[in-house]
Amino acid sequence: MLNVPSQAFPAPGSQQRVASQGRSKVPLKQGRSLMDWIRLTRSGKDLTGQKGRLIDVTEDELKTHNKKDDCWICIRGLVYNVSPYMEYHPGGEDELMRAAGADGTDLFNEVHRWVNYESMLKECLVGRMATKPAAPKDCKEGKRVLNGMYPKSQVTDTLPREDPSSPSYDWFQTESSVTIVIYTKRKNINLASVMVDLQDDSLRAEVVINDHSYLIHIELSHEVQENFSVRVIENVGKVDVILQKRENIPWKCLGQPLEKHDSFIPKKDAGLYYRKCQLISKEDVTHDTRLFCLMLPPSTHLQVPVGHHVYLKLSVTGDFVSVSSPEGNFKLSRLQEVEDLFLLAAGTGFTPMVNVLNYSLTHMSSLRKVKLMFFNKTEDDIIWRCQLEKLAFKDKRFDIEFVLSAPSSEWNGKRGHVSPALLSEFLQRSLENSRVFLCICGPTPFTDEGIRLLHDLNFDTEEIHGFTA
């Protein structure tokens, strides 16, 4: 990171320092209150001068933006154009100019550590500081190196990559906490994209970025508490992992790298990571289907994204189940602006449809209709039949049709296997040209045949998603 100016902040005799001693703050012009600033940030005006682009800022380039009408400041690795904020700053323009064209992190922390600057200045974000390769150091040394790490020289994959689009990380600390900051350089990151496991002071933080995986894997230099928090700033693609120190002492380094640390590789090459979860309860759903309730370890952050799945490993004797990281390639972006959603499920292929169904009825404002055609062998095989029928009664946008391949003589519903006749009747749009999307899941022969029939019915590949294990 950059060298931080050493002068006091606020400066001696500044208006902000005077105010802290009981005198008035810098008077702001009319129309320059906090609410006026909030209105400006919501106006859609380009406050960065970058027309919506996020860039990597070199130290040399940062230094050139050191004037009141062109003032960039770096705070915790992120660079902001604070010129539009000059007249709204309660401490006055001179205080902001103390860090003009420089890294103002330490200056900011001395006075404003409690301020949510990320929210206050989010529309002023220019980008992040470009990183440079750094020579490995001994962890015992007092000096800090790039990313707060002192990597072992024999671990080659801990050295920063030269590709500017690759994710990177840094860290900073307070008296009681350590925050690891991951810069994904992508905007489609959310909490479900992040998995964090803390075991015996070994930290494993993985971020799924499209079809790639970025991994931070570190043996921490000091002990931390089990509880931690994860925060995602979606509009800039930044992930914060906040650890709580066991002892309020300064850390000279973050720790030592472990296997695959600081790696950015295709998700298919990353392998599955399992964590041991306690089995809390199990209950029968049908004669051959059970619902398991598992409790994650207290030092784990894991959410299963909509349309994704996990694998389980179970010991024959014992009350613990090992749960993998989520797998799948379903993207919520494919549901944007969909008006008619059709779901085709066979047997336990209904499982991914639960979250898709819940998400569509809760978050898709464009949705007019969602229909589920559920294929089973007998009535006893139907999972959550009562709940599905109640949902259809409660929400008029949802329709459910059951199809049985081996029904009893009393069955009055649809019969058979997936076929053109069944699908052509089922796949009726709410409007002639409504935007549609179709999801299908079940045994492989069912899914393959269903997708083939959907193509025969003139649905495009981009309108179809087949779930696979």
Side-chain angles (χ1 to χ4, degrees):
M1 295 299 294
L2 302 176
N3 293 324
V4 180
S6 59
Q7 59 262 45
F9 185 76
S14 73
Q15 291 290 341
Q16 189 166 329
R17 185 175 291 275
V18 169
S20 68
Q21 297 172 351
R23 299 183 184 180
S24 60
K25 294 184 179 181
V26 173
L28 298 176
K29 297 178 182 178
Q30 187 174 0
R32 297 296 185 268
S33 67
L34 174 60
M35 290 308 301
D36 292 318
W37 172 249
I38 293 174
R39 280 191 284 269
L40 177 61
T41 62
R42 295 176 178 176
S43 67
K45 185 177 180 180
D46 178 17
L47 301 181
T48 67
Q50 300 299 310
K51 298 181 179 179
R53 294 183 305 118
L54 292 179
I55 64 174
D56 283 351
V57 182
T58 65
E59 184 174 348
D60 289 339
E61 182 175 3
L62 179 63
K63 290 178 180 177
T64 65
H65 299 274
N66 59 359
K67 305 175 183 65
K68 286 187 178 181
D69 60 351
D70 181 21
C71 181
W72 291 7
I73 293 177
C74 174
I75 304 177
R76 296 175 185 169
L78 297 181
V79 179
Y80 298 90
N81 179 0
V82 298
S83 295
Y85 184 59
M86 285 284 181
E87 294 184 347
Y88 298 83
H89 186 233
E93 298 177 356
D94 290 344
E95 295 308 321
L96 290 178
M97 291 303 298
R98 304 293 304 177
D103 189 324
T105 302
D106 282 359
L107 308 182
F108 174 86
N109 286 342
E110 288 181 24
V111 179
H112 298 304
R113 182 181 296 278
W114 62 88
V115 174
N116 185 357
Y117 69 93
E118 291 167 324
S119 175
M120 184 82 70
L121 298 176
K122 65 180 180 179
E123 299 303 328
C124 299
L125 182 67
V126 174
R128 64 175 303 278
M129 288 301 301
T131 57
K132 301 176 182 178
K137 299 282 186 180
D138 184 347
C139 188
K140 294 181 181 179
E141 296 181 7
K143 295 180 180 179
R144 177 181 172 191
V145 297
L146 180 70
N147 290 336
M149 287 287 298
Y150 296 84
K152 299 176 182 177
S153 57
Q154 64 267 31
V155 185
T156 57
D157 65 355
T158 64
L159 295 178
R161 292 168 298 279
E162 294 183 0
D163 183 357
S165 65
S166 296
S168 61
Y169 77 100
D170 201 345
W171 71 282
F172 64 90
Q173 61 181 305
T174 66
E175 182 182 12
S176 61
S177 68
V178 170
T179 299
I180 299 170
V181 185
I182 300 174
Y183 305 101
T184 68
K185 304 180 185 177
R186 311 296 193 279
K187 287 192 174 183
N188 57 343
I189 304 299
N190 53 49
L191 279 174
S193 306
V194 183
M195 293 149 283
V196 181
D197 294 273
L198 181 63
Q199 296 182 356
D200 300 324
D201 296 319
S202 170
L203 178 74
R204 188 183 190 281
E206 181 180 3
V207 183
V208 176
I209 305 171
N210 296 327
D211 56 353
H212 277 64
S213 168
Y214 179 65
L215 179 66
I216 298 295
H217 197 191
I218 301 168
E219 180 184 345
L220 298 172
S221 62
H222 294 75
E223 292 185 351
V224 295
Q225 300 179 33
E226 280 188 343
N227 59 306
F228 62 85
S229 58
V230 179
R231 179 176 59 186
V232 174
I233 313 299
E234 294 189 24
N235 64 318
V236 297
K238 185 168 78 71
V239 178
D240 292 338
V241 181
I242 302 127
L243 309 174
Q244 301 301 319
K245 296 178 179 178
R246 283 200 180 274
E247 295 183 88
N248 294 343
I249 58 175
W251 292 17
K252 293 183 179 180
C253 68
L254 185 58
Q256 296 289 355
L258 297 174
E259 184 182 7
K260 295 183 180 180
H261 169 68
D262 199 21
S263 61
F264 185 50
I265 59 177
K267 187 71 169 68
K268 61 182 178 62
D269 299 331
L272 290 176
Y273 179 80
Y274 286 83
R275 69 277 299 156
K276 189 176 291 187
C277 302
Q278 186 176 0
L279 178 61
I280 301 300
S281 65
K282 56 184 177 181
E283 61 179 276
D284 292 333
V285 178
T286 68
H287 65 96
D288 63 355
T289 305
R290 284 183 173 180
L291 177 65
F292 290 82
C293 179
L294 305 174
M295 183 173 67
L296 287 168
S299 52
T300 292
H301 168 84
L302 174 69
Q303 296 180 0
V304 181
V306 174
H308 288 59
H309 60 275
V310 297
Y311 294 99
L312 306 179
K313 291 196 300 188
L314 175 65
S315 300
V316 177
T317 58
D319 296 326
F320 289 89
V321 178
S322 294
V323 178
S324 76
S325 298
E327 286 283 290
N329 58 2
F330 183 80
K331 292 181 173 57
L332 280 177
S333 57
R334 302 183 71 180
L335 295 179
Q336 289 181 357
E337 299 182 352
V338 166
E339 296 167 304
D340 290 330
L341 178 62
F342 298 103
L343 310 176
L344 302 172
T348 53
F350 167 69
T351 306
M353 304 305 178
V354 176
N355 276 344
V356 173
L357 183 58
N358 178 66
Y359 177 85
S360 63
L361 292 174
T362 306
H363 295 97
M364 291 172 56
S365 58
S366 60
L367 186 72
R368 292 198 188 98
K369 202 73 176 176
V370 54
K371 298 175 68 176
L372 170 65
M373 181 171 275
F374 196 1
F375 292 81
N376 287 278
K377 188 175 181 180
T378 69
E379 283 188 78
D380 291 337
D381 296 321
I382 301 174
I383 301 172
W384 288 349
R385 178 180 180 179
C386 181
Q387 291 91 329
L388 289 170
E389 290 176 336
K390 285 182 178 179
L391 179 61
F393 178 80
K394 180 180 178 181
D395 195 320
K396 300 306 180 184
R397 295 172 298 169
F398 175 57
D399 284 339
I400 174 72
E401 294 184 14
F402 301 108
V403 182
L404 303 181
S405 59
S408 65
S409 57
E410 290 81 16
W411 177 252
N412 295 321
K414 289 183 167 57
R415 303 166 179 249
H417 300 275
V418 62
S419 65
L422 282 173
L423 293 184
S424 59
E425 180 183 350
F426 174 70
L427 300 172
Q428 297 294 320
R429 302 172 188 248
S430 59
L431 294 176
E432 183 178 355
N433 296 317
S434 62
R435 293 180 293 272
V436 302
F437 193 73
L438 305 100
C439 297
I440 182 168
C441 186
T444 300
F446 169 84
T447 302
D448 292 345
E449 177 65 8
I451 291 176
R452 185 188 68 80
L453 293 175
L454 292 175
H455 285 306
D456 291 344
L457 293 170
N458 297 319
F459 289 98
D460 297 330
T461 300
E462 58 268 20
E463 296 176 320
I464 303 169
H465 181 84
F467 290 101
T468 56

